[in-house]
């Protein structure tokens, strides 16, 4: 079961790739195996998969299945109209999303949400986190009410 990892999809793809290299499923002479493990990214894997590389394609297919499964769970609980894949992985995830869309209806009983890639770039997750923290600070921590006044 590939669901249950705390990492995002991009990190998970890189993790699976490192596992496949370590196990020999991806041969030592493969372009991914020749990369330093720390330099290996989902973007490399997804680009090779898009170009037709079989080893990278197998990992992309695994990512599609996981994305479909996770989106199905989200769809079953919240019934969203759209699920957006964001972050650094979103730039190269289009083929994975296309495959996940094909299997998504079988993952839930409700209408499948639209599954799309964000166009906001790699930093959108960090920007969203900072924005949420600023909003929370403005709404609560920095609220100066009579009970929280710092005046003498």
């Amino acid at each position: 079961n590939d669901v249950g990892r705390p990492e995002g999809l991009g990190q998970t793809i890189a993790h699976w790739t490192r596992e496949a290299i370590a196990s020999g499923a991806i041969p030592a002479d493969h372009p991914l195996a020749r990369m330093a493990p720390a330099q290996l990214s989902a973007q490399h894997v997804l680009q090779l998969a898009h170009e037709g590389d079989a080893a990278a394609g197998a990992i992309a297919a695994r990512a599609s299945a996981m994305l479909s499964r996770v989106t199905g769970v989200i769809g079953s609980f919240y019934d969203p109209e759209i699920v957006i894949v964001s972050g650094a992985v979103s730039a190269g995830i289009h083929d994975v999303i296309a495959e996940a869309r094909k299997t998504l209806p079988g993952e839930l009983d409700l209408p499948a949400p639209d599954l799309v890639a964000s166009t906001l770039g790699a930093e959108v997750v960090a920007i969203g986190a900072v924005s949420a923290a600023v909003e929370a600070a403005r709404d609560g921590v920095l609220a100066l009410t009579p009970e929280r006044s710092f005046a003498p």
Side-chain angles (χ1 to χ4, degrees), residues 12 30 33 40 42 44 80 85 87 90 95 97 103 107 129:
T12 299
H30 190 277
L40 190 68
H44 294 116
V85 178
S90 65
D95 293 343
I97 287 175
T103 59
E107 294 288 343

Side-chain angles (χ1 to χ4, degrees), residues 84-151:
I84 302 170
V85 178
S86 63
V89 74
S90 65
I93 200 76
H94 300 288
D95 293 343
V96 169
I97 287 175
E99 288 302 311
R101 282 186 191 133
K102 293 176 185 176
T103 59
L104 182 56
E107 294 288 343
L108 57 139
D109 295 324
L110 300 169
D114 192 14
L115 186 56
V116 299
S118 171
T119 58
L120 298 177
E123 296 80 24
V124 70
V125 176
I127 291 169
V130 170
S131 177
V134 168
E135 186 175 323
R138 286 184 180 146
D139 289 346
V141 175
L142 298 178
L144 296 177
T145 61
E147 302 86 41
R148 294 187 55 159
S149 175
F150 293 105

Side-chain angles (χ1 to χ4, degrees), residues 12-69:
T12 299
I13 290 169
H15 173 80
W16 290 337
T17 304
R18 286 189 291 275
E19 283 183 339
I21 292 166
S23 72
I26 293 179
D29 63 344
H30 190 277
L32 293 171
R34 291 192 307 256
M35 296 181 77
Q39 300 300 318
L40 190 68
S41 72
Q43 288 80 5
H44 294 116
V45 177
L46 295 174
Q47 181 61 41
L48 286 172
H50 180 74
E51 293 169 2
D53 181 88
I59 293 169
R62 187 175 174 187
S64 294
M66 186 182 91
L67 180 58
S68 178
R69 197 170 313 118

